[in-house]
Amino acid sequence: MRLFVAVNLPDTLRKAAWNSAAPLRDGRLPVKWVGVDALHLTLKFLGEVDAGRRAEVQDAVDAAASGTTQFALPVLGFGAFPNPRRARVIWLGCDSVPELELLQHRVEQRMSDIGFPLEVRPFHPHLTLGRVRRDARPASLAGLDDLLQRLQFQAQTVVKSVDLMQSELSRAGARYTRLHCAKLDSQ
Ligand code: ATP
Ligand code: MG
Protein backbone atom coordinates (compact mmCIF):
# COMPACT_ATOMS: atom_id res chain seq x y z
CA MET A 1 0.00 0.00 0.00
CA ARG A 2 1.13 3.52 -0.85
CA LEU A 3 1.36 5.55 2.37
CA PHE A 4 2.21 9.04 3.53
CA VAL A 5 1.90 11.08 6.72
CA ALA A 6 -0.01 14.34 6.49
CA VAL A 7 -1.76 17.15 8.27
CA ASN A 8 -5.35 17.51 7.09
CA LEU A 9 -7.17 20.81 7.35
CA PRO A 10 -10.68 21.54 8.58
CA ASP A 11 -13.36 21.56 5.87
CA THR A 12 -13.96 25.29 5.96
CA LEU A 13 -10.29 26.19 5.58
CA ARG A 14 -9.81 23.65 2.81
CA LYS A 15 -12.74 25.09 0.91
CA ALA A 16 -11.61 28.68 1.40
CA ALA A 17 -8.09 27.79 0.30
CA TRP A 18 -9.34 25.97 -2.77
CA ASN A 19 -11.68 28.83 -3.68
CA SER A 20 -8.88 31.34 -3.39
CA ALA A 21 -7.04 29.47 -6.14
CA ALA A 22 -9.95 29.64 -8.59
CA PRO A 23 -8.24 32.24 -10.83
CA LEU A 24 -5.44 29.73 -11.39
CA ARG A 25 -7.84 27.04 -12.48
CA ASP A 26 -9.53 29.49 -14.83
CA GLY A 27 -6.17 30.29 -16.41
CA ARG A 28 -6.21 27.54 -19.05
CA LEU A 29 -2.90 26.19 -17.84
CA PRO A 30 -1.66 22.66 -18.66
CA VAL A 31 -2.19 21.58 -15.07
CA LYS A 32 -3.99 18.75 -13.31
CA TRP A 33 -5.73 20.47 -10.41
CA VAL A 34 -6.17 18.86 -7.01
CA GLY A 35 -9.79 18.54 -5.86
CA VAL A 36 -10.94 20.44 -2.79
CA ASP A 37 -11.25 17.28 -0.68
CA ALA A 38 -7.71 16.18 -1.50
CA LEU A 39 -5.82 19.29 -0.29
CA HIS A 40 -3.37 18.32 2.45
CA LEU A 41 0.04 19.06 3.93
CA THR A 42 2.45 16.15 3.51
CA LEU A 43 4.96 15.63 6.32
CA LYS A 44 6.51 12.41 5.07
CA PHE A 45 6.04 10.32 1.96
CA LEU A 46 6.56 6.64 2.75
CA GLY A 47 5.81 5.11 -0.63
CA GLU A 48 4.93 1.46 -1.11
CA VAL A 49 4.71 -0.38 2.23
CA ASP A 50 3.73 -4.01 2.90
CA ALA A 51 0.22 -4.15 4.35
CA GLY A 52 1.66 -6.28 7.17
CA ARG A 53 3.64 -3.28 8.40
CA ARG A 54 0.63 -1.05 8.87
CA ALA A 55 0.48 -1.41 12.68
CA GLU A 56 4.19 -0.67 13.01
CA VAL A 57 3.86 2.46 10.87
CA GLN A 58 0.78 3.53 12.79
CA ASP A 59 2.65 3.17 16.08
CA ALA A 60 5.46 5.32 14.70
CA VAL A 61 2.94 8.06 13.82
CA ASP A 62 1.51 7.83 17.34
CA ALA A 63 5.00 8.06 18.84
CA ALA A 64 5.77 11.15 16.75
CA ALA A 65 2.52 12.81 17.84
CA SER A 66 2.78 11.96 21.51
CA GLY A 67 4.24 14.77 23.55
CA THR A 68 3.51 17.27 20.78
CA THR A 69 1.06 20.02 21.64
CA GLN A 70 -1.56 21.45 19.28
CA PHE A 71 -0.31 24.56 17.52
CA ALA A 72 -1.42 27.40 15.28
CA LEU A 73 -0.42 27.15 11.63
CA PRO A 74 -0.63 30.13 9.27
CA VAL A 75 -1.59 29.19 5.71
CA LEU A 76 -0.65 31.80 3.13
CA GLY A 77 1.23 32.60 -0.03
CA PHE A 78 1.22 31.00 -3.48
CA GLY A 79 4.15 29.67 -5.42
CA ALA A 80 5.52 26.93 -7.63
CA PHE A 81 8.28 24.32 -7.46
CA PRO A 82 10.99 24.58 -8.61
CA ASN A 83 9.97 28.06 -9.78
CA PRO A 84 7.02 29.68 -11.59
CA ARG A 85 8.74 29.77 -14.98
CA ARG A 86 9.45 26.07 -14.99
CA ALA A 87 6.73 24.99 -12.62
CA ARG A 88 6.03 21.35 -11.89
CA VAL A 89 3.94 21.81 -8.73
CA ILE A 90 1.75 24.82 -7.91
CA TRP A 91 1.09 25.32 -4.22
CA LEU A 92 -0.36 27.30 -1.36
CA GLY A 93 2.23 27.73 1.38
CA CYS A 94 2.27 27.24 5.13
CA ASP A 95 4.43 29.18 7.54
CA SER A 96 7.20 26.93 8.74
CA VAL A 97 6.50 27.63 12.41
CA PRO A 98 8.83 25.89 14.91
CA GLU A 99 6.10 23.52 16.11
CA LEU A 100 5.54 22.28 12.58
CA GLU A 101 9.27 21.85 12.00
CA LEU A 102 9.47 19.89 15.23
CA LEU A 103 6.52 17.67 14.33
CA GLN A 104 7.91 16.99 10.87
CA HIS A 105 11.29 16.20 12.40
CA ARG A 106 9.72 13.77 14.90
CA VAL A 107 7.82 12.00 12.11
CA GLU A 108 11.00 11.81 10.03
CA GLN A 109 12.94 10.41 13.02
CA ARG A 110 10.35 7.78 13.95
CA MET A 111 10.06 6.62 10.36
CA SER A 112 13.82 6.45 10.08
CA ASP A 113 13.87 4.29 13.24
CA ILE A 114 11.72 1.70 11.46
CA GLY A 115 13.74 1.75 8.28
CA PHE A 116 12.37 4.47 5.99
CA PRO A 117 15.08 6.57 4.36
CA LEU A 118 15.55 10.08 5.73
CA GLU A 119 14.40 12.89 3.44
CA VAL A 120 17.43 14.73 2.16
CA ARG A 121 15.58 17.70 0.69
CA PRO A 122 14.67 20.64 2.93
CA PHE A 123 11.10 20.73 4.24
CA HIS A 124 8.92 23.25 2.36
CA PRO A 125 5.47 22.90 3.91
CA HIS A 126 2.78 23.39 1.27
CA LEU A 127 -0.59 22.32 0.00
CA THR A 128 -0.28 21.12 -3.59
CA LEU A 129 -2.93 22.84 -5.68
CA GLY A 130 -1.99 21.37 -9.03
CA ARG A 131 0.62 19.48 -10.99
CA VAL A 132 1.85 20.67 -14.35
CA ARG A 133 1.36 18.08 -17.08
CA ARG A 134 4.55 16.35 -18.13
CA ASP A 135 4.13 17.30 -21.76
CA ALA A 136 3.52 21.01 -21.00
CA ARG A 137 5.62 23.46 -23.02
CA PRO A 138 7.34 26.16 -20.92
CA ALA A 139 5.63 28.84 -23.05
CA SER A 140 2.25 27.59 -21.88
CA LEU A 141 3.18 28.71 -18.33
CA ALA A 142 4.04 32.26 -19.35
CA GLY A 143 1.20 33.84 -17.37
CA LEU A 144 1.64 31.78 -14.22
CA ASP A 145 4.02 34.07 -12.35
CA ASP A 146 1.64 37.05 -12.68
CA LEU A 147 -1.35 34.96 -11.70
CA LEU A 148 0.42 33.70 -8.58
CA GLN A 149 1.42 37.19 -7.54
CA ARG A 150 -2.12 38.49 -7.81
CA LEU A 151 -3.64 35.77 -5.65
CA GLN A 152 -4.40 36.43 -2.01
CA PHE A 153 -5.03 34.07 0.84
CA GLN A 154 -4.21 34.30 4.50
CA ALA A 155 -5.68 32.10 7.19
CA GLN A 156 -4.73 30.28 10.32
CA THR A 157 -5.69 26.89 11.63
CA VAL A 158 -4.91 24.91 14.74
CA VAL A 159 -3.20 21.61 13.98
CA LYS A 160 -4.75 19.01 16.28
CA SER A 161 -3.67 15.75 14.71
CA VAL A 162 -1.37 14.06 12.28
CA ASP A 163 -2.73 11.39 9.97
CA LEU A 164 -1.51 8.24 8.28
CA MET A 165 -2.87 8.38 4.75
CA GLN A 166 -3.23 5.83 1.99
CA SER A 167 -2.93 6.93 -1.61
CA GLU A 168 -4.45 4.92 -4.41
CA LEU A 169 -3.31 6.02 -7.82
CA SER A 170 -5.45 5.62 -10.89
CA ARG A 171 -5.85 7.32 -14.24
CA ALA A 172 -8.49 9.53 -12.64
CA GLY A 173 -5.90 10.78 -10.12
CA ALA A 174 -4.92 9.91 -6.57
CA ARG A 175 -7.53 8.95 -4.02
CA TYR A 176 -6.57 9.48 -0.40
CA THR A 177 -7.96 7.65 2.61
CA ARG A 178 -7.20 8.40 6.24
CA LEU A 179 -6.07 5.15 7.86
CA HIS A 180 -5.19 6.50 11.27
CA CYS A 181 -5.43 9.79 13.16
CA ALA A 182 -2.90 10.53 15.92
CA LYS A 183 -4.14 13.34 18.13
CA LEU A 184 -1.76 15.99 19.45
CA ASP A 185 -2.00 17.04 23.11
CA SER A 186 -4.44 19.83 23.83
CA GLN A 187 -2.94 23.10 25.06
P1 ATP B 1 -0.05 11.78 -8.45
O1 ATP B 1 1.22 11.08 -8.07
O2 ATP B 1 -1.02 10.94 -9.21
O3 ATP B 1 0.18 13.12 -9.05
P2 ATP B 1 -0.19 12.52 -5.67
O4 ATP B 1 1.20 13.00 -5.85
O5 ATP B 1 -1.18 13.40 -5.01
O6 ATP B 1 -0.83 12.08 -7.06
P3 ATP B 1 1.09 10.41 -4.29
O7 ATP B 1 2.15 10.36 -5.38
O8 ATP B 1 0.59 9.11 -3.77
O9 ATP B 1 -0.19 11.17 -4.84
O10 ATP B 1 1.64 11.29 -3.12
C1 ATP B 1 0.99 11.42 -1.88
C2 ATP B 1 1.55 12.66 -1.18
O11 ATP B 1 2.96 12.50 -0.99
C3 ATP B 1 1.40 13.94 -2.00
O12 ATP B 1 1.25 15.02 -1.11
C4 ATP B 1 2.71 14.06 -2.74
O13 ATP B 1 3.02 15.40 -3.06
C5 ATP B 1 3.68 13.49 -1.71
N1 ATP B 1 4.81 12.85 -2.38
C6 ATP B 1 4.74 11.96 -3.40
N2 ATP B 1 5.97 11.52 -3.75
C7 ATP B 1 6.83 12.16 -2.93
C8 ATP B 1 8.25 12.13 -2.77
N3 ATP B 1 9.04 11.36 -3.53
N4 ATP B 1 8.80 12.91 -1.83
C9 ATP B 1 8.05 13.68 -1.05
N5 ATP B 1 6.70 13.75 -1.12
C10 ATP B 1 6.10 13.01 -2.05
MG1 MG C 1 2.81 11.88 -6.75
PDB file of all heavy atoms in Angstrom, residues 53-77:
ATOM      1  N   ARG A  53       2.900  -4.236   7.563  1.00  0.00           N
ATOM      2  CA  ARG A  53       3.645  -3.281   8.403  1.00  0.00           C
ATOM      3  C   ARG A  53       2.767  -2.122   8.878  1.00  0.00           C
ATOM      4  O   ARG A  53       3.257  -1.195   9.528  1.00  0.00           O
ATOM      5  CB  ARG A  53       4.831  -2.702   7.629  1.00  0.00           C
ATOM      6  CG  ARG A  53       5.897  -3.712   7.279  1.00  0.00           C
ATOM      7  CD  ARG A  53       7.151  -3.018   6.799  1.00  0.00           C
ATOM      8  NE  ARG A  53       7.824  -2.296   7.882  1.00  0.00           N
ATOM      9  CZ  ARG A  53       8.796  -1.426   7.687  1.00  0.00           C
ATOM     10  NH1 ARG A  53       9.207  -1.146   6.467  1.00  0.00           N
ATOM     11  NH2 ARG A  53       9.360  -0.803   8.702  1.00  0.00           N
ATOM     12  N   ARG A  54       1.490  -2.199   8.575  1.00  0.00           N
ATOM     13  CA  ARG A  54       0.632  -1.050   8.874  1.00  0.00           C
ATOM     14  C   ARG A  54       0.622  -0.683  10.359  1.00  0.00           C
ATOM     15  O   ARG A  54       0.722   0.496  10.711  1.00  0.00           O
ATOM     16  CB  ARG A  54      -0.795  -1.348   8.391  1.00  0.00           C
ATOM     17  CG  ARG A  54      -1.725  -0.221   8.708  1.00  0.00           C
ATOM     18  CD  ARG A  54      -3.070  -0.424   8.058  1.00  0.00           C
ATOM     19  NE  ARG A  54      -4.059   0.433   8.704  1.00  0.00           N
ATOM     20  CZ  ARG A  54      -5.329   0.467   8.375  1.00  0.00           C
ATOM     21  NH1 ARG A  54      -5.776  -0.315   7.404  1.00  0.00           N
ATOM     22  NH2 ARG A  54      -6.158   1.258   9.004  1.00  0.00           N
ATOM     23  N   ALA A  55       0.538  -1.689  11.237  1.00  0.00           N
ATOM     24  CA  ALA A  55       0.477  -1.406  12.680  1.00  0.00           C
ATOM     25  C   ALA A  55       1.764  -0.734  13.157  1.00  0.00           C
ATOM     26  O   ALA A  55       1.742   0.213  13.955  1.00  0.00           O
ATOM     27  CB  ALA A  55       0.226  -2.693  13.454  1.00  0.00           C
ATOM     28  N   GLU A  56       2.875  -1.222  12.636  1.00  0.00           N
ATOM     29  CA  GLU A  56       4.187  -0.669  13.013  1.00  0.00           C
ATOM     30  C   GLU A  56       4.290   0.806  12.585  1.00  0.00           C
ATOM     31  O   GLU A  56       4.765   1.666  13.342  1.00  0.00           O
ATOM     32  CB  GLU A  56       5.254  -1.506  12.294  1.00  0.00           C
ATOM     33  CG  GLU A  56       6.671  -1.190  12.604  1.00  0.00           C
ATOM     34  CD  GLU A  56       7.624  -1.910  11.634  1.00  0.00           C
ATOM     35  OE1 GLU A  56       7.148  -2.596  10.689  1.00  0.00           O
ATOM     36  OE2 GLU A  56       8.834  -1.764  11.814  1.00  0.00           O
ATOM     37  N   VAL A  57       3.813   1.087  11.379  1.00  0.00           N
ATOM     38  CA  VAL A  57       3.863   2.462  10.870  1.00  0.00           C
ATOM     39  C   VAL A  57       2.921   3.347  11.681  1.00  0.00           C
ATOM     40  O   VAL A  57       3.249   4.478  12.055  1.00  0.00           O
ATOM     41  CB  VAL A  57       3.499   2.489   9.366  1.00  0.00           C
ATOM     42  CG1 VAL A  57       3.345   3.922   8.865  1.00  0.00           C
ATOM     43  CG2 VAL A  57       4.555   1.748   8.551  1.00  0.00           C
ATOM     44  N   GLN A  58       1.757   2.798  11.978  1.00  0.00           N
ATOM     45  CA  GLN A  58       0.775   3.526  12.789  1.00  0.00           C
ATOM     46  C   GLN A  58       1.357   3.878  14.161  1.00  0.00           C
ATOM     47  O   GLN A  58       1.192   5.000  14.644  1.00  0.00           O
ATOM     48  CB  GLN A  58      -0.431   2.596  12.949  1.00  0.00           C
ATOM     49  CG  GLN A  58      -1.734   3.269  13.210  1.00  0.00           C
ATOM     50  CD  GLN A  58      -2.879   2.299  12.891  1.00  0.00           C
ATOM     51  OE1 GLN A  58      -3.075   1.935  11.748  1.00  0.00           O
ATOM     52  NE2 GLN A  58      -3.602   1.884  13.910  1.00  0.00           N
ATOM     53  N   ASP A  59       2.027   2.924  14.773  1.00  0.00           N
ATOM     54  CA  ASP A  59       2.654   3.166  16.079  1.00  0.00           C
ATOM     55  C   ASP A  59       3.709   4.274  15.979  1.00  0.00           C
ATOM     56  O   ASP A  59       3.857   5.080  16.909  1.00  0.00           O
ATOM     57  CB  ASP A  59       3.320   1.889  16.614  1.00  0.00           C
ATOM     58  CG  ASP A  59       2.291   0.854  17.066  1.00  0.00           C
ATOM     59  OD1 ASP A  59       1.095   1.206  17.155  1.00  0.00           O
ATOM     60  OD2 ASP A  59       2.686  -0.306  17.314  1.00  0.00           O
ATOM     61  N   ALA A  60       4.428   4.290  14.878  1.00  0.00           N
ATOM     62  CA  ALA A  60       5.458   5.322  14.695  1.00  0.00           C
ATOM     63  C   ALA A  60       4.809   6.705  14.570  1.00  0.00           C
ATOM     64  O   ALA A  60       5.353   7.696  15.082  1.00  0.00           O
ATOM     65  CB  ALA A  60       6.308   5.011  13.458  1.00  0.00           C
ATOM     66  N   VAL A  61       3.655   6.781  13.922  1.00  0.00           N
ATOM     67  CA  VAL A  61       2.940   8.060  13.818  1.00  0.00           C
ATOM     68  C   VAL A  61       2.476   8.482  15.215  1.00  0.00           C
ATOM     69  O   VAL A  61       2.626   9.649  15.615  1.00  0.00           O
ATOM     70  CB  VAL A  61       1.744   7.960  12.845  1.00  0.00           C
ATOM     71  CG1 VAL A  61       0.954   9.268  12.827  1.00  0.00           C
ATOM     72  CG2 VAL A  61       2.217   7.618  11.439  1.00  0.00           C
ATOM     73  N   ASP A  62       1.937   7.525  15.968  1.00  0.00           N
ATOM     74  CA  ASP A  62       1.512   7.826  17.343  1.00  0.00           C
ATOM     75  C   ASP A  62       2.682   8.336  18.184  1.00  0.00           C
ATOM     76  O   ASP A  62       2.542   9.298  18.942  1.00  0.00           O
ATOM     77  CB  ASP A  62       0.933   6.569  18.008  1.00  0.00           C
ATOM     78  CG  ASP A  62      -0.501   6.301  17.574  1.00  0.00           C
ATOM     79  OD1 ASP A  62      -1.185   7.271  17.151  1.00  0.00           O
ATOM     80  OD2 ASP A  62      -0.940   5.140  17.649  1.00  0.00           O
ATOM     81  N   ALA A  63       3.818   7.674  18.045  1.00  0.00           N
ATOM     82  CA  ALA A  63       4.995   8.058  18.837  1.00  0.00           C
ATOM     83  C   ALA A  63       5.448   9.467  18.466  1.00  0.00           C
ATOM     84  O   ALA A  63       5.860  10.245  19.340  1.00  0.00           O
ATOM     85  CB  ALA A  63       6.124   7.054  18.602  1.00  0.00           C
ATOM     86  N   ALA A  64       5.368   9.808  17.185  1.00  0.00           N
ATOM     87  CA  ALA A  64       5.768  11.153  16.753  1.00  0.00           C
ATOM     88  C   ALA A  64       4.810  12.204  17.304  1.00  0.00           C
ATOM     89  O   ALA A  64       5.216  13.313  17.661  1.00  0.00           O
ATOM     90  CB  ALA A  64       5.805  11.220  15.224  1.00  0.00           C
ATOM     91  N   ALA A  65       3.537  11.849  17.378  1.00  0.00           N
ATOM     92  CA  ALA A  65       2.523  12.806  17.837  1.00  0.00           C
ATOM     93  C   ALA A  65       2.548  12.973  19.347  1.00  0.00           C
ATOM     94  O   ALA A  65       2.256  14.054  19.870  1.00  0.00           O
ATOM     95  CB  ALA A  65       1.137  12.354  17.381  1.00  0.00           C
ATOM     96  N   SER A  66       2.891  11.914  20.046  1.00  0.00           N
ATOM     97  CA  SER A  66       2.777  11.962  21.509  1.00  0.00           C
ATOM     98  C   SER A  66       3.812  12.925  22.078  1.00  0.00           C
ATOM     99  O   SER A  66       4.968  12.948  21.667  1.00  0.00           O
ATOM    100  CB  SER A  66       2.907  10.558  22.102  1.00  0.00           C
ATOM    101  OG  SER A  66       4.205  10.350  22.580  1.00  0.00           O
ATOM    102  N   GLY A  67       3.352  13.759  22.987  1.00  0.00           N
ATOM    103  CA  GLY A  67       4.237  14.771  23.553  1.00  0.00           C
ATOM    104  C   GLY A  67       4.290  16.033  22.723  1.00  0.00           C
ATOM    105  O   GLY A  67       4.970  16.989  23.075  1.00  0.00           O
ATOM    106  N   THR A  68       3.592  16.051  21.595  1.00  0.00           N
ATOM    107  CA  THR A  68       3.507  17.266  20.775  1.00  0.00           C
ATOM    108  C   THR A  68       2.188  17.958  21.075  1.00  0.00           C
ATOM    109  O   THR A  68       1.138  17.320  21.107  1.00  0.00           O
ATOM    110  CB  THR A  68       3.586  16.915  19.273  1.00  0.00           C
ATOM    111  OG1 THR A  68       4.782  16.202  19.029  1.00  0.00           O
ATOM    112  CG2 THR A  68       3.552  18.168  18.415  1.00  0.00           C
ATOM    113  N   THR A  69       2.264  19.258  21.298  1.00  0.00           N
ATOM    114  CA  THR A  69       1.063  20.021  21.638  1.00  0.00           C
ATOM    115  C   THR A  69       0.462  20.633  20.373  1.00  0.00           C
ATOM    116  O   THR A  69       1.191  20.959  19.439  1.00  0.00           O
ATOM    117  CB  THR A  69       1.447  21.133  22.635  1.00  0.00           C
ATOM    118  OG1 THR A  69       2.160  20.526  23.718  1.00  0.00           O
ATOM    119  CG2 THR A  69       0.223  21.833  23.184  1.00  0.00           C
ATOM    120  N   GLN A  70      -0.871  20.770  20.380  1.00  0.00           N
ATOM    121  CA  GLN A  70      -1.560  21.453  19.283  1.00  0.00           C
ATOM    122  C   GLN A  70      -0.928  22.826  19.060  1.00  0.00           C
ATOM    123  O   GLN A  70      -0.484  23.466  20.004  1.00  0.00           O
ATOM    124  CB  GLN A  70      -3.032  21.645  19.639  1.00  0.00           C
ATOM    125  CG  GLN A  70      -3.770  20.337  19.835  1.00  0.00           C
ATOM    126  CD  GLN A  70      -5.227  20.559  20.227  1.00  0.00           C
ATOM    127  OE1 GLN A  70      -5.681  21.696  20.372  1.00  0.00           O
ATOM    128  NE2 GLN A  70      -5.956  19.473  20.398  1.00  0.00           N
ATOM    129  N   PHE A  71      -0.941  23.261  17.806  1.00  0.00           N
ATOM    130  CA  PHE A  71      -0.315  24.561  17.525  1.00  0.00           C
ATOM    131  C   PHE A  71      -1.000  25.261  16.358  1.00  0.00           C
ATOM    132  O   PHE A  71      -1.658  24.623  15.535  1.00  0.00           O
ATOM    133  CB  PHE A  71       1.178  24.371  17.224  1.00  0.00           C
ATOM    134  CG  PHE A  71       1.457  23.516  16.013  1.00  0.00           C
ATOM    135  CD1 PHE A  71       1.623  24.089  14.758  1.00  0.00           C
ATOM    136  CD2 PHE A  71       1.548  22.135  16.137  1.00  0.00           C
ATOM    137  CE1 PHE A  71       1.875  23.299  13.648  1.00  0.00           C
ATOM    138  CE2 PHE A  71       1.805  21.334  15.022  1.00  0.00           C
ATOM    139  CZ  PHE A  71       1.969  21.917  13.777  1.00  0.00           C
ATOM    140  N   ALA A  72      -0.823  26.582  16.340  1.00  0.00           N
ATOM    141  CA  ALA A  72      -1.418  27.401  15.279  1.00  0.00           C
ATOM    142  C   ALA A  72      -0.525  27.368  14.044  1.00  0.00           C
ATOM    143  O   ALA A  72       0.699  27.452  14.142  1.00  0.00           O
ATOM    144  CB  ALA A  72      -1.569  28.835  15.765  1.00  0.00           C
ATOM    145  N   LEU A  73      -1.162  27.211  12.898  1.00  0.00           N
ATOM    146  CA  LEU A  73      -0.425  27.152  11.631  1.00  0.00           C
ATOM    147  C   LEU A  73      -0.993  28.174  10.645  1.00  0.00           C
ATOM    148  O   LEU A  73      -2.125  28.039  10.191  1.00  0.00           O
ATOM    149  CB  LEU A  73      -0.547  25.742  11.031  1.00  0.00           C
ATOM    150  CG  LEU A  73       0.137  25.541   9.681  1.00  0.00           C
ATOM    151  CD1 LEU A  73       1.651  25.606   9.819  1.00  0.00           C
ATOM    152  CD2 LEU A  73      -0.291  24.207   9.068  1.00  0.00           C
ATOM    153  N   PRO A  74      -0.204  29.183  10.296  1.00  0.00           N
ATOM    154  CA  PRO A  74      -0.629  30.132   9.268  1.00  0.00           C
ATOM    155  C   PRO A  74      -0.520  29.503   7.875  1.00  0.00           C
ATOM    156  O   PRO A  74       0.472  28.832   7.577  1.00  0.00           O
ATOM    157  CB  PRO A  74       0.357  31.297   9.415  1.00  0.00           C
ATOM    158  CG  PRO A  74       1.025  31.096  10.748  1.00  0.00           C
ATOM    159  CD  PRO A  74       1.043  29.611  10.955  1.00  0.00           C
ATOM    160  N   VAL A  75      -1.558  29.697   7.088  1.00  0.00           N
ATOM    161  CA  VAL A  75      -1.589  29.191   5.705  1.00  0.00           C
ATOM    162  C   VAL A  75      -1.675  30.406   4.796  1.00  0.00           C
ATOM    163  O   VAL A  75      -2.631  31.183   4.904  1.00  0.00           O
ATOM    164  CB  VAL A  75      -2.812  28.270   5.496  1.00  0.00           C
ATOM    165  CG1 VAL A  75      -2.858  27.757   4.067  1.00  0.00           C
ATOM    166  CG2 VAL A  75      -2.784  27.111   6.488  1.00  0.00           C
ATOM    167  N   LEU A  76      -0.679  30.587   3.967  1.00  0.00           N
ATOM    168  CA  LEU A  76      -0.646  31.798   3.133  1.00  0.00           C
ATOM    169  C   LEU A  76       0.416  31.708   2.052  1.00  0.00           C
ATOM    170  O   LEU A  76       1.393  30.975   2.197  1.00  0.00           O
ATOM    171  CB  LEU A  76      -0.380  33.041   3.999  1.00  0.00           C
ATOM    172  CG  LEU A  76       1.041  33.293   4.510  1.00  0.00           C
ATOM    173  CD1 LEU A  76       1.119  34.636   5.198  1.00  0.00           C
ATOM    174  CD2 LEU A  76       1.520  32.217   5.455  1.00  0.00           C
ATOM    175  N   GLY A  77       0.196  32.432   0.989  1.00  0.00           N
ATOM    176  CA  GLY A  77       1.231  32.602  -0.027  1.00  0.00           C
ATOM    177  C   GLY A  77       1.203  31.527  -1.099  1.00  0.00           C
ATOM    178  O   GLY A  77       1.141  30.342  -0.794  1.00  0.00           O
TER     179      GLY A  77
END
